[in-house]
Amino acid sequence: NSTDFLHRPHGSFLPWIEAEFGMSNDTARRFMNVAETYGDKFGTVRNLPPTALYELAAPKKPIVGT
């Protein structure tokens, strides 16, 4: 069930992600960032490659010193 993680003890999310989907923590976080950023815009971004979506949805880093 896709909502099983909601009922798991604290600290069991990563092992569940690895067991159910075979993905790393980093990959899971990238997917979650994309879903949070573009979830309501699926029709617009669905043809972009995953790597482009990961970059676009990544947390922004401030530009330092110029």
Side-chain angles (χ1 to χ4, degrees), residues 16-60:
W16 180 79
I17 285 290
E18 290 171 346
E20 293 294 320
F21 301 100
M23 68 176 65
S24 69
N25 183 32
D26 288 342
T27 301
R29 289 185 188 282
R30 286 183 194 114
F31 269 99
M32 290 186 291
N33 283 341
V34 169
E36 185 176 303
T37 303
Y38 298 110
D40 61 339
K41 297 175 182 78
F42 177 74
T44 304
V45 301
R46 69 179 173 199
N47 294 320
L48 292 174
T51 53
L53 291 170
Y54 298 158
E55 288 296 320
L56 290 168
K60 306 301 179 234

